[in-house]
């Protein structure tokens, strides 16, 4: 009987398109899913989209669309992205799916029937971007959201509450009994501190808008988006509609999440499951956050790059390798193009690429492209053979414990030793001296080492793994290959025809190479000095957009500055400060469609943050802001 493995990603808010930071969880989950399939598990890998709530509703309104229409478009974009990134999810759930919405209602009804839901008045702070409630003493400086640092709003509503406090003790026991329920350790400890302080009941409905799942028997209320969202993990696999499937896959073996949503997954979700009497997930792993070239990833900084842009530039496998190898899983890390290029050149082009190239070239040259029979063994061979077996074991152990960086380190040590084996055995000398039997053994061993390396790489770098199989003449085995192929040394058959091909990973010359972003200040300056002309790509880096002026007012104590609130459509509302007070009265500007640079780094003018810049032309003492003739929608791109 096959063992099952159920792995999930968070379901993504679809108010914006994903960037490399948000794709991180999905790529990791894909690697875990492929790895478990490879180890013989019957895997169910779930991802999807979180489509209800105030944040999505506002985004839809800003885009001038109905929320459903807006979600339908965005959900397609997510699906397409995961296809393009060759993500192997078994299902894609949307919280607007009818089946899911029914399950949410049944789930909440059951919580209510079990005496865990009551009506009360909620008064407190709410962060729309995080869709989170906060108490006064949890707020950050200047009454900001402690999770994202943005403004919170006061909410006063009659709501239904979930008796989370009732589960405080049970959760404490759970954390004590299962020390690996939440990982890494420091994330588990954060949750323990919250539990020790004591949990308060949580509001689980809203009444100020309608975009959500109606509360059973009281449709004036919609169910709080987080409650709705968490239930996806059971609704997707059949809870209340396909008991057999549900009982097979539930409980989840692994919920992969980012650190900022740990509270919801490690405290609220288990309490909800306890309330309805379902088993708890086996593990919740809260990973860290990525920055991009040292900066926070955000739309307003213009670095929320579509992951496909990176994939086109560097290749899918290089990105997958880099994310696993360079970002120590669990900790925050930086996605830096410079270190990515370093890894591609050193680990992929040099270590792995050269090993393959040298091995196939020597087989082609000396054995008419046929993998030779190993006929003459020497003691150094056992180092390679033993090394391979040890590598397989350590690689599996680390992958099982989600220690990806360490697993790849083990593998690259073996790749390193395989290259060293070439230096130690000096096959070129064997060829010159006519020691064919020994040469055959050395080259067989190298080809076998490569087969093992490619097999271990199957879940992490599938394209590369397949390509190495193809070069070794075993392409048709690849699809079905599992850990059975790693049982022992020597499973590669002699006599197969190897193929020569292009380098697996061409070296990148950083001096001639154009990166996706120009990262440091020095580079920006160097580039600017070197080039008087700009390319179309340079121009495309400036995100020019149409914006509608919503509000305008003079900046106190300044003759020059006006503060504007503008609508940028999909990008939301922004505040910009412009030096046009001498030329325009605030009221003249309201309703105008203007042109702004939307990806300019925010700057402070007279202490006020400006999140963009409007365009204006000046001619002596005259100034005119750029406007447009036709009524285009705010946020429209200028190119
Ligand atoms: N909709 C909720 C999750 C509900 S799950 C029942 C949500 N969505 S999200 O779109 O905001 O975030 C989804 C995932 O993307 C989270 O795991 C989050 O940590 C991850 N990331 C978003 N930006 C990230 C980085 N810059 N770096 C790493 N992961 C980040 O929260």
């Amino acid at each position: 009987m096959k063992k099952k493995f159920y792995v999930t990603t968070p379901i993504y808010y679809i108010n914006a398109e994903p960037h490399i930071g948000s794709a991180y969880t999905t790529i990791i989950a894909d690697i875990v899913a492929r790895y478990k399939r490879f180890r013989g598990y019957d895997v169910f890998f779930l991802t999807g989209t979180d489509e209800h709530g105030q944040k999505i509703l506002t985004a839809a309104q800003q885009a001038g669309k109905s929320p459903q229409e807006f979600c339908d478009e965005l959900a397609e974009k997510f699906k397409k992205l995961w296809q393009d990134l060759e993500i192997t999810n078994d299902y894609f759930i949307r919280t607007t799916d009818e089946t899911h919405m029914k399950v949410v209602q049944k789930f909440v009804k059951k919580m209510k029937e079990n005496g865990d839901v009551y009506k009360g008045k909620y008064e407190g702070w709410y962060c729309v971007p995080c869709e989170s409630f906060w108490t006064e003493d949890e707020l950050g400086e200047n009454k900001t959201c402690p999770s994202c640092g943005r403004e919170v709003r006061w909410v006063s509503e009659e709501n239904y509450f979930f008796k989370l406090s009732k589960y405080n003790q049970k959760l404490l026991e759970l954390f004590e009994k299962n020390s690996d329920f939440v990982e890494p350790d420091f994330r588990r400890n954060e949750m323990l501190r919250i539990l020790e302080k004591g949990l308060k009941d949580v509001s689980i409905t809203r009444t100020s808008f309608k975009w959500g799942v109606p509360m059973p028997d009281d449709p004036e209320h919609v169910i709080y988006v987080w409650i709705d969202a968490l239930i996806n993990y059971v609704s997707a696999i059949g809870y209340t509609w396909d008991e057999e499937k549900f009982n097979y896959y539930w409980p989840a073996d692994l919920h992969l999440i980012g650190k900022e949503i740990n509270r919801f997954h490690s405290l609220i979700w288990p309490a909800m499951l306890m309330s309805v009497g379902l088993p708890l997930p086996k593990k919740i792993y809260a990973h860290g956050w990525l920055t991009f070239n040292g900066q926070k990833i955000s739309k307003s900084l213009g670095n929320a790059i579509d992951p496909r842009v990176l994939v086109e530039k560097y290749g899918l496998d290089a990105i997958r390798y880099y994310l696993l190898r360079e970002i120590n899983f669990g900790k925050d890390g930086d996605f830096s193009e410079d270190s990515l290029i370093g890894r591609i050149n050193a680990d992929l082009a040099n270590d792995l690429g050269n090993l393959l190239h040298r091995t196939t070239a020597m087989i082609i040259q000396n054995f008419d492209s046929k993998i030779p029979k190993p006929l003459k063994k020497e003691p150094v061979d056992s180092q390679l053979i033993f090394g391979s077996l040890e590598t397989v074991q350590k690689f599996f152990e680390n992958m099982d414990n989600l220690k990806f960086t360490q697993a790849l380190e083990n593998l690259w040590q073996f790749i390193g030793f395989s290259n060293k084996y070439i230096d130690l055995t000096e096959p070129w000398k064997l060829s010159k001296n006519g020691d064919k039997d020994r040469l055959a053994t050395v080259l067989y061993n190298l080809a076998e080492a490569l087969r093992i390396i490619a097999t271990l790489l199957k879940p992490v770098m599938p394209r590369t793994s397949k390509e190495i199989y193809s070069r070794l003449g075993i392409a048709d085995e690849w699809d079905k290959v599992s850990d059975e192929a790693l049982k022992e040394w020597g499973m590669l058959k002699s006599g197969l025809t190897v193929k020569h091909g292009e380098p697996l990973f061409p070296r990148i010359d950083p001096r001639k190479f154009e990166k996706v972003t120009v990262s440091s200040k020095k580079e920006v300056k160097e580039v600017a000095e070197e080039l008087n002309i700009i390319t179309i790509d340079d121009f495309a880096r400036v995100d020019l957009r149409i914006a509608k002026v919503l509000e305008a007012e003079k900046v106190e104590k300044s003759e020059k500055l006006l503060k504007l609130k503008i609508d940028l459509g999909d990008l939301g509302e922004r505040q910009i400060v412009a030096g046009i007070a001498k030329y325009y009265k605030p009221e003249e500007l309201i309703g105008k469609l203007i042109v702004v640079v939307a990806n300019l780094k925010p700057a402070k003018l007279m202490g006020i943050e400006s999140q963009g810049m409007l365009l204006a032309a000046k001619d002596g003492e005259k100034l005119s802001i750029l406007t447009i003739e036709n009524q285009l929608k705010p946020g429209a791109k200028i190119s």
Side-chain angles (χ1 to χ4, degrees):
M1 249 259 292
K2 266 191 166 189
K3 279 204 282 180
K4 67 92 189 174
F5 194 87
Y6 178 27
V7 56
T8 67
T9 72
I11 47 172
Y12 296 90
Y13 287 131
I14 53 170
N15 58 315
E17 288 173 46
H19 46 69
I20 190 68
S22 37
Y24 181 54
T25 327
T26 309
I27 293 174
I28 299 281
D30 182 62
I31 288 165
V32 172
R34 286 179 188 253
Y35 171 69
K36 288 288 175 186
R37 287 186 201 112
F38 171 74
R39 299 299 311 272
Y41 285 78
D42 184 357
V43 172
F44 196 89
F45 166 19
L46 177 69
T47 190
T49 41
D50 191 354
E51 306 187 3
H52 288 128
Q54 199 153 14
K55 168 168 155 149
I56 309 293
L57 177 64
T58 312
Q61 283 164 344
Q62 278 167 355
K65 301 204 165 122
S66 78
Q68 190 61 58
E69 190 190 355
F70 178 76
C71 289
D72 289 347
E73 274 173 28
L74 264 294
E76 277 315 306
K77 288 193 180 174
F78 272 79
K79 283 188 186 166
K80 174 81 178 38
L81 173 67
W82 302 144
Q83 272 166 19
D84 291 347
L85 296 184
E86 295 173 16
I87 299 298
T88 58
N89 55 303
D90 294 288
Y91 190 60
F92 186 99
I93 189 164
R94 300 181 52 189
T95 52
T96 51
D97 290 341
E98 223 175 284
T99 319
H100 168 76
M101 290 175 63
K102 281 193 187 134
V103 175
V104 171
Q105 288 186 319
K106 285 189 200 159
F107 197 111
V108 172
K109 200 166 181 171
K110 202 154 189 189
M111 286 164 67
K112 201 170 162 203
E113 282 163 5
N114 293 346
D116 286 344
V117 173
Y118 63 92
K119 219 174 193 177
K121 184 161 172 138
Y122 180 79
E123 268 197 322
W125 298 97
Y126 195 76
C127 172
V128 178
C130 296
E131 296 281 17
S132 297
F133 294 100
W134 300 106
T135 58
E136 183 89 29
D137 54 332
E138 284 172 325
L139 293 184
E141 259 174 55
N142 303 326
K143 291 214 181 337
T144 50
C145 168
S147 178
C148 72
R150 280 177 278 206
E151 231 175 84
V152 285
R153 60 168 75 161
W154 181 254
V155 175
S156 172
E157 282 178 18
E158 179 166 81
N159 287 165
Y160 283 92
F161 284 76
F162 169 45
K163 282 190 191 161
L164 184 61
S165 58
K166 175 174 152 187
Y167 293 96
N168 207 135
Q169 189 52 34
K170 274 197 173 170
L171 287 168
L172 268 171
E173 284 161 19
L174 166 75
F175 273 67
E176 265 147 35
K177 255 197 240 144
N178 301 286
S179 59
D180 56 356
F181 177 62
V182 176
E183 284 190 350
D185 272 10
F186 52 97
R187 297 282 166 230
R188 170 179 180 267
N189 292 340
E190 283 173 1
M191 295 301 110
L192 260 178
R193 296 295 88 82
I194 300 181
L195 284 173
E196 281 159 6
K197 261 173 81 184
L199 294 173
K200 294 200 182 77
D201 293 349
V202 285
S203 161
I204 57 157
T205 61
R206 305 290 312 273
T207 50
S208 52
F209 59 90
K210 287 268 163 288
W211 184 239
V213 180
M215 180 73 177
D217 309 322
D218 198 352
E220 282 307 298
H221 291 251
V222 292
I223 292 168
Y224 173 40
V225 59
W226 264 103
I227 301 294
D228 170 359
L230 288 163
I231 294 171
N232 94 85
Y233 298 132
V234 291
S235 74
I237 52 164
Y239 179 58
T240 72
W241 59 270
D242 186 343
E243 287 303 318
E244 197 181 326
K245 182 171 173 187
F246 178 68
N247 290 330
Y248 179 65
Y249 284 115
W250 191 256
D253 294 272
L254 178 62
H255 286 319
L256 281 168
I257 58 165
K259 62 179 181 181
E260 84 290 3
I261 54 176
N262 196 11
R263 224 163 37 103
F264 295 101
H265 285 83
S266 301
L267 304 177
I268 300 182
W269 179 227
M272 286 166 65
L273 291 164
M274 287 174 184
S275 170
V276 299
L278 283 177
L280 306 184
K282 296 205 183 120
K283 191 187 292 303
I284 293 154
Y285 194 101
H287 64 68
W289 266 52
L290 296 191
T291 47
F292 189 78
N293 288 336
Q295 279 184 315
K296 186 176 168 216
I297 305 179
S298 95
K299 251 191 170 170
S300 52
L301 293 175
N303 65 0
I305 296 164
D306 185 327
R308 278 169 288 216
V309 173
L310 290 164
V311 164
E312 258 161 46
K313 195 99 202 173
Y314 298 102
L316 183 55
D317 279 5
I319 301 288
R320 289 168 70 101
Y321 173 75
Y322 177 78
L323 286 174
L324 247 61
R325 178 76 196 258
E326 188 82 14
I327 317 287
N328 207 333
F329 192 55
K331 307 249 173 72
D332 290 341
D334 186 40
F335 188 108
S336 134
E337 281 188 275
D338 289 329
S339 69
L340 169 62
I341 293 169
R343 286 276 176 205
I344 292 176
N345 286 344
D347 304 2
L348 303 181
N350 236 13
D351 298 347
L352 179 60
N354 276 349
L355 178 64
L356 177 71
H357 181 78
R358 289 159 92 190
T359 307
T360 50
M362 288 189 286
I363 295 176
I364 292 166
Q365 226 174 38
N366 294 289
F367 292 95
D368 192 22
S369 301
K370 301 274 186 293
I371 294 178
K373 272 206 175 96
L375 295 167
K376 189 176 169 192
K377 295 188 179 113
E378 281 189 12
V380 64
D381 301 351
S382 55
Q383 273 190 57
L384 188 75
I385 297 169
F386 180 72
S388 81
L389 300 175
E390 197 186 38
T391 303
V392 170
Q393 193 200 336
K394 282 194 190 157
F395 183 89
F396 284 171
E397 206 175 288
N398 280 321
M399 288 296 282
D400 288 339
N401 292 315
L402 308 177
K403 293 196 168 145
F404 307 120
T405 307
Q406 292 80 343
L408 289 180
E409 272 166 14
N410 298 147
L411 184 50
W412 254 257
Q413 266 165 17
F414 180 63
I415 295 172
F417 184 75
S418 304
N419 275 315
K420 195 170 160 209
Y421 177 81
I422 303 183
D423 301 337
L424 292 172
T425 52
E426 300 180 307
W428 50 91
K429 277 196 189 156
L430 300 170
S431 168
K432 220 166 127 200
N433 301 341
D435 192 348
K436 271 258 165 179
D437 286 355
R438 181 61 194 147
L439 182 62
T441 312
V442 167
L443 295 184
Y444 175 86
N445 287 345
L446 285 168
E448 172 64 347
L450 273 163
R451 183 192 68 88
I452 291 170
I453 293 161
T455 309
L456 287 174
L457 280 178
K458 188 181 183 196
V460 182
M461 301 170 77
R463 288 182 180 181
T464 308
S465 164
K466 196 170 181 175
E467 183 59 26
I468 299 177
Y469 261 59
S470 149
R471 303 272 176 105
L472 294 176
I474 46 176
D476 47 351
E477 289 175 21
W478 189 82
D479 277 337
K480 292 223 168 73
V481 80
S482 72
D483 58 2
E484 292 287 318
L486 297 168
K487 281 258 148 71
E488 57 193 24
W489 175 268
M491 292 170 82
L492 182 68
K493 289 194 199 84
S494 300
L496 294 162
T497 308
V498 303
K499 266 193 273 172
H500 196 61
E502 292 292 304
L504 275 186
F505 294 93
R507 277 188 69 80
I508 296 174
D509 180 349
R511 285 165 312 172
K512 294 193 195 132
F513 186 76
E514 215 177 298
K515 286 185 279 180
V516 171
T517 54
V518 180
S519 53
S520 71
K521 276 194 187 130
K522 189 165 148 252
E523 278 172 300
V524 175
K525 203 159 153 261
E526 274 171 9
V527 172
E529 273 167 10
E530 264 173 43
L531 303 170
N532 289 323
I533 47 161
I534 62 166
T535 66
I536 188 86
D537 288 341
D538 292 327
F539 174 69
R541 269 191 210 129
V542 184
D543 190 5
L544 291 175
R545 304 262 184 159
I546 304 294
K548 187 174 186 174
V549 181
L550 301 174
E551 290 167 21
E553 62 182 82
K554 287 190 76 115
V555 169
E556 258 182 36
K557 296 194 200 125
S558 166
E559 280 175 21
K560 282 196 195 150
L561 301 179
L562 287 186
K563 186 170 95 178
L564 311 183
K565 188 164 167 200
I566 57 169
D567 177 3
L568 267 170
D570 290 355
L571 299 187
E573 287 180 10
R574 299 250 189 105
Q575 162 177 300
I576 59 170
V577 179
I580 53 170
K582 281 203 220 148
Y583 311 96
Y584 288 94
K585 291 203 183 74
E587 60 275 20
E588 284 173 47
L589 295 168
I590 294 171
K592 269 201 181 359
L593 289 172
I594 60 171
V595 176
V596 296
V597 183
N599 60 343
L600 200 64
K601 189 172 175 186
K604 282 206 167 156
L605 299 171
M606 303 269 304
I608 303 173
E609 182 165 279
S610 185
Q611 303 152 329
M613 180 175 87
L614 63 70
L615 297 191
K618 207 167 174 203
D619 172 14
E621 276 314 292
K622 286 191 285 182
L623 180 141
S624 169
I625 57 172
L626 264 63
T627 58
I628 57 156
E629 283 181 10
N630 293 333
Q631 283 294 321
L632 298 186
K633 77 173 170 31
K637 239 175 146 21
I638 299 171
S639 55

